[in-house]
Amino acid sequence: MRISRKTAGKGIIILNLFTICVFLLVILKVIPYESISGGRLESYDAAVRTATTSIVMMIYGIPVIAAASGLVRVKDYKRFYIGWLIFALVLMVVLFYEASIMGVIVVCFGIPLIAVAAGVVEYKQFRLFAKIYLWLSFLFACLNTLGNLLGSTWFEKIVMGLVTVTQAVLYFYLARGKQKRKIKDK
């Protein structure tokens, strides 16, 4: 089965939005906080910090995935990506302060991709940075899936496990897939 880059990108973005909704429901106390982070969180306050960090990371990733999957022409959104680059740099500082090492790593490898989209780095490097970011995201989704499957609640094992394994598959397709090159007329 072959999944197009754009379809994979849309799928990842939709799954990120679903996960953001789940974390918002935890913050709003609609879903018990024990349903996230493997049921290992000791308090509602810890769940809010975890959910907030996760929401920010997923929001950060949406424009990066949109660019890497070809959903947007980055040259058309240069100003947006300049602002997003500033947001990413601030986010790195916050994640470092929060001691979210995985978050810092993911943002670190997304920054060059955003810098290319913003026009700060030459466009020739875009594919290289996109590949690195996508492979790291694939690895992160695999680890997240493992964590979900080892979680203590059925919600995390079944629902969130299915979400993260689907994300891992979509990241894999994006990371290993080749971008289509336009054929020039003679």
Side-chain angles (χ1 to χ4, degrees):
M1 179 167 97
R2 184 78 176 132
I3 299 173
S4 75
R5 294 180 64 71
K6 288 184 179 183
T7 301
K10 288 176 189 175
I12 291 168
I13 290 170
I14 289 168
L15 291 171
N16 278 358
L17 293 172
F18 171 79
T19 306
I20 288 169
C21 289
V22 168
F23 283 123
L24 286 173
L25 291 173
V26 168
I27 291 170
L28 296 171
K29 297 183 178 180
V30 175
I31 296 176
Y33 73 84
E34 294 88 359
S35 298
I36 61 171
S37 293
R40 294 175 186 85
L41 296 173
E42 296 180 15
S43 69
Y44 171 74
D45 291 336
V48 168
R49 281 192 306 277
T50 299
T52 304
T53 301
S54 297
I55 288 169
V56 171
M57 288 296 301
M58 283 179 260
I59 290 172
Y60 163 79
I62 289 172
V64 177
I65 292 303
S69 65
L71 287 172
V72 297
R73 286 178 37 97
V74 292
K75 292 179 182 180
D76 295 343
Y77 295 94
K78 185 175 180 179
R79 286 188 180 169
F80 170 79
Y81 281 101
I82 288 171
W84 208 250
L85 181 61
I86 293 166
F87 170 71
L89 294 172
V90 170
L91 179 59
M92 261 193 48
V93 172
V94 170
L95 290 171
F96 185 77
Y97 175 75
E98 289 286 323
S100 175
I101 302 304
M102 187 60 83
V104 170
I105 291 170
V106 170
V107 172
C108 264
F109 284 98
I111 285 178
L113 184 60
I114 297 170
V116 169
V120 178
V121 176
E122 270 193 57
Y123 191 74
K124 294 176 187 175
Q125 302 300 318
F126 182 79
R127 286 190 192 143
L128 172 66
F129 291 127
K131 285 277 189 199
I132 292 170
Y133 180 82
L134 293 170
W135 280 114
L136 283 172
S137 297
F138 166 71
L139 178 64
F140 181 70
C142 289
L143 292 173
N144 203 2
T145 300
L146 182 61
N148 286 334
L149 295 176
L150 296 174
S152 63
T153 65
W154 67 268
F155 179 78
E156 192 157 18
K157 287 180 182 182
I158 297 171
V159 176
M160 297 312 291
L162 184 59
V163 167
T164 56
V165 77
T166 305
Q167 282 179 321
V169 168
L170 294 173
Y171 275 120
F172 179 78
Y173 273 102
L174 271 178
R176 91 171 235 271
K178 295 180 182 177
Q179 290 181 331
K180 293 180 183 176
R181 294 186 183 186
K182 293 183 179 179
I183 300 171
K184 295 181 181 179
D185 293 333
K186 293 182 180 180

